[in-house]
Amino acid sequence: MESAEIRRRFLNFFAERGHTVVPSASLLLNDPTLLFVNAGMVPFKPYFLGEAVPPYKRATSVQKVVRTLDIEEVGKTTRHASFFQMCGNFSFGDYFKEGAIPFAWDLLTTSTHEGGYGFPEDKLWVTVYEDDDEAAGMWQELVGLPADRIQRRGMVDNFWSMGVPGPCGPCSEIYYDRGPDYGREGGPVADEDRYLEVWNLVFMQSIRGEGPGKEGFPILGDLPNKNIDTGLGLERMAAILQGVDNIYEIDTTRGILDRAAELSGTAYGTAEGSDVALRVVADHARTCAFLIGDGVIPGNEGRGYVLRRITRRVISKMRELGAHEPTMGELIDTAIAQMAPQYPELNDQHVRIRQVAVGEESAFLQTLRTGSAIFDTAVASVRTNGGSTLSGEQAFALHDTYGFPIDLTLELAAE
Ligand code: SER
C-alpha cells in the first residue's frame, strides 16, 4: 500500500467517525519549549491545557515532525528518521480510552479491501502503563485481545510527555509481530525489533513539571479534561505494508535513496557502510527540503544550526559515496517530487528551497577545501609526534579560524 493511500485511509477513517481533518501545521510553531514540532499533538497543546477552546471535539491530522535528538542513529537502525509524518486522532474532553482503543483496533485489523490496514489480529500485541487496569481490561473486553498479549511497563516506556513541562499521561502502545526472523519470542518487553511499535495511544490527563529524563519529574495535577492523543508513524506503517525492512526503503524515501546512489555512483546493497550513508542522505535531504520550505535558513545557532548540520551531513556523505560534483540541487528536486503530492506547498517553494540548499552546499564545499587541508596538516603533526589524538586546541582552531564544523572534525578524526 502506497504511503499516500495509508495517509488517505487514516484521515478517512477518523473523518467518518466525526473527526475534523486538520492540515499539518508548520514545523515551526511558537512554542518556547521546542525548536521544531516534534509530535502530532503539539499544535493542539493549548486545547489540552485548557488555554484555548478547541473549535472541534475530535480532530485528525497527519503532522510533519522533526526530531534530531537521535540523528546519529539515522540510517543505522531500521526506524530512526530526522523527519517523519505522524498520523493522529485527538479527542478534547470527548471520548477517552473506551473510544480510542476500539478505533485503533478497527482501523488496523479491518481488511484492506474494506478500507483498513489488514493486520492479522494474532500478530498484534499491546503494552499498558503498569497500573492501568482499566486499559488492560478494555483491550480484552472491547476488542477481544487475549490477556497474554497485553504487557505492562513503567514510566520510561508507557508514560508520555513532550519531554518538558506540559500535558502528559499514561499510554498504551500497539506492536506488530514481524516474526521469528526478526528476534526473540516474548512480546515487546523482550524484543522491540521483532515487535515493532506502530501506534501510541496517549491518555492525556495530567500536567507534569520540570525534571530530567522520562520519570524524574513531578505530576502537578490533572488537566481540565480527559483527552486522547494518538500517534501512528506513517513511515513505519509503510515499511510493514510494503514488506520492506526499514523506513528508508519505502516508496517515497526509496526514490531519494536511488537518486543519491545514481548521483554518487555507489549502488545500494553493496556494503553496510555505503548503505548507511545512502540512507542518511535519503532521510536528511527530505528533512532539508521541509525545513527550508517552512522558513528555516542555515545559520550558526538554534534552528538554523540544525538545518546547517543536516545539510552538511548530506554533502559529506555524498562525497564519501564518491560524488565529486555538487548534488544538493538534484537531491532536493527528487525529495520535492516525492513529497509534493502530499505537501503541495513544497512545489510553490521549490525554487527558493533549491536556492538555499545549493547556496549552503557551495559555501560548505569551499570550507571543506580549506578546512581539509588544515585538518590533514594537523593530523600529520599528531602522527609525527607519535600521537593518535587530535587535541581540543586543534579542533577549536579548525572551528574558530576556518569554520570547519566540530562534528565533521570528530567524524574525520574517528576515521
Ligand atoms: N504524542 C504521542 C507520541 O508522539 C502520541 O501521538 O508518540
Side-chain angles (χ1 to χ4, degrees), residues 11-31:
L11 295 175
N12 281 349
F13 179 90
F14 286 103
E16 281 165 7
R17 288 157 183 80
H19 295 66
T20 300
V21 178
V22 179
S24 174
S26 163
L27 286 164
L28 318 183
L29 278 194
N30 230 348
D31 183 325

Side-chain angles (χ1 to χ4, degrees), residues 38-42 67 84 86-90 160-162 173 197 199-202 204 229-232:
N38 65 354
M41 52 70 69
V42 174
R67 287 188 187 171
F84 62 98
M86 212 167 216
C87 308
N89 57 291
F90 305 90
W160 198 87
S161 79
M162 295 166 68
E173 297 182 314
E197 182 207 327
W199 204 339
N200 186 12
L201 315 182
V202 183
M204 206 60 114
D229 150 33
T230 85
L232 169 139

Side-chain angles (χ1 to χ4, degrees), residues 143-344:
V143 306
L145 189 68
D148 61 3
R149 277 193 278 127
I150 303 172
Q151 299 187 314
R152 294 185 185 238
R153 294 177 116 176
M155 282 296 266
V156 171
D157 297 291
N158 275 72
F159 195 91
W160 198 87
S161 79
M162 295 166 68
V164 289
C168 61
C171 60
S172 181
E173 297 182 314
I174 309 174
Y175 291 78
Y176 170 65
D177 179 3
R178 297 202 284 172
D181 288 350
Y182 289 89
R184 288 188 291 147
E185 296 273 330
V189 298
D191 191 327
E192 286 206 38
D193 275 321
R194 167 165 173 176
Y195 300 89
L196 194 65
E197 182 207 327
V198 291
W199 204 339
N200 186 12
L201 315 182
V202 183
F203 310 130
M204 206 60 114
Q205 59 191 36
S206 311
I207 307 181
R208 61 158 280 188
E210 288 283 358
K214 292 193 168 180
E215 50 187 344
F217 50 81
I219 300 296
L220 304 177
D222 292 337
L223 290 169
N225 287 307
K226 290 190 166 172
N227 311 285
I228 289 295
D229 150 33
T230 85
L232 169 139
L234 176 51
E235 285 79 2
R236 276 192 196 185
M237 188 53 91
I240 296 170
L241 295 180
Q242 293 172 15
V244 294
D245 266 354
N246 59 62
I247 56 165
Y248 318 99
E249 294 175 19
I250 64 168
D251 50 359
T252 46
T253 323
R254 179 70 200 228
I256 315 172
L257 194 156
D258 288 341
R259 190 75 187 110
E262 254 170 55
L263 290 166
S264 65
T266 301
Y268 188 55
T270 45
E272 179 58 15
S274 52
D275 283 357
V276 170
L278 285 167
R279 292 187 209 124
V280 170
V281 171
D283 169 85
H284 285 19
R286 184 162 90 143
T287 310
C288 286
F290 276 101
L291 285 177
I292 301 170
D294 277 350
V296 185
I297 298 291
N300 286 333
E301 50 192 54
R303 290 167 171 162
Y305 182 68
V306 174
L307 172 60
R308 171 156 285 165
R309 178 152 183 238
I310 289 177
T311 317
R312 290 179 167 194
R313 278 170 58 91
V314 173
I315 300 159
S316 310
K317 297 287 174 209
M318 285 300 284
R319 284 166 56 94
E320 218 176 283
L321 287 162
H324 301 298
E325 299 300 320
T327 56
M328 212 56 213
E330 306 261 6
L331 291 170
I332 290 287
D333 291 346
T334 312
I336 292 181
Q338 292 294 335
M339 300 309 293
Q342 285 132 73
Y343 299 90

